[in-house]
Amino acid sequence: MSASLTTRRALAAVLAAGALIGAAAMPAAADGHGHGRDNGRNHVRDHDHGRDNGRDNGRDQGRGRDHGRDHGRDNGRDNGRDHRAPSSIAIGEVQNEDGMRGDRFGRALNREWVEVKNTGRHAVNLRGYTLTDEQGNRYRFPDFRLDGRSSVKVHTGQGRNTRHDLYQDRRRQVWDDSDTATLRDDRGNIIDTESWGRRGHHHRNG
């Protein structure tokens, strides 16, 4: 009986010790599981934050592209207004006539002309181009195709337009002894000027 009682007490002690060890291990396991859950949540938050940052960066880059386009358009407009447009179209020779008052039929007006030439290889349509003097008299070109390496004379008087001669159909002289011919394209950009008079001829090409 004594030996059996001793055995039972020893077994009970072992079981109690095992229960204590198990109870101590459970909170640690629970803490580890909770920590893993928290890490998972943090990882999701970090992923969402990265996604938001990506969207913001994309929007900023898009705005940057739009700003670049607008800036480029503005610069293009400003350059068009402030600078002479490069062109193969230019003013050539100028012929102004004196003593036209006694010309009853205005024939001398057709001896007054300004030559416009195309120095490039390709044809250019001069429709909308203008030729003006210092007094503001203006001639607007019709639908006229000027071939490459060729020229046309713009006469002051009346006549029939051809490939080499155009007429302003005026009854009075335009170009004075001292004057400036200004050639503009169809957008109003100055592409060439020619001045003459007391100081001789002065040519300025855009």
Side-chain angles (χ1 to χ4, degrees), residues 84-85 87-92 114-118 126 128-133 139-141 146 152 154 175 180-186 188-194 203-206:
R84 291 171 180 254
S87 175
S88 62
I89 305 300
I91 296 175
V114 175
E115 181 187 39
V116 176
K117 58 185 180 179
N118 182 0
L126 299 183
Y129 281 57
T130 59
L131 192 62
T132 58
D133 66 352
Y139 169 73
R140 185 179 295 274
F141 284 80
L146 183 60
V152 61
V154 181
W175 308 110
T180 298
T182 302
L183 181 65
R184 290 179 173 86
D185 64 14
D186 55 351
N189 298 312
I190 297 176
I191 58 177
D192 199 9
T193 60
E194 177 79 17
H203 183 85
R204 182 180 179 185
N205 184 269

Side-chain angles (χ1 to χ4, degrees), residues 61-138:
Q61 290 176 359
R63 293 190 195 103
R65 284 195 298 269
D66 294 339
H67 178 70
R69 292 191 199 102
D70 294 339
H71 186 64
R73 291 191 199 103
D74 292 339
N75 282 341
R77 295 189 195 105
D78 292 339
N79 288 337
R81 284 193 297 265
D82 298 338
H83 301 286
R84 291 171 180 254
S87 175
S88 62
I89 305 300
I91 296 175
E93 296 182 9
V94 176
Q95 177 67 45
N96 67 303
E97 284 289 322
D98 294 330
M100 293 185 181
R101 296 177 182 176
D103 185 7
R104 289 183 58 189
F105 301 100
R107 295 171 182 171
L109 290 175
N110 286 335
R111 294 198 300 267
E112 179 183 79
W113 46 260
V114 175
E115 181 187 39
V116 176
K117 58 185 180 179
N118 182 0
T119 60
R121 297 170 53 188
H122 304 289
V124 176
N125 194 327
L126 299 183
R127 182 177 183 177
Y129 281 57
T130 59
L131 192 62
T132 58
D133 66 352
E134 289 182 348
Q135 287 72 39
N137 296 306
R138 181 175 62 178

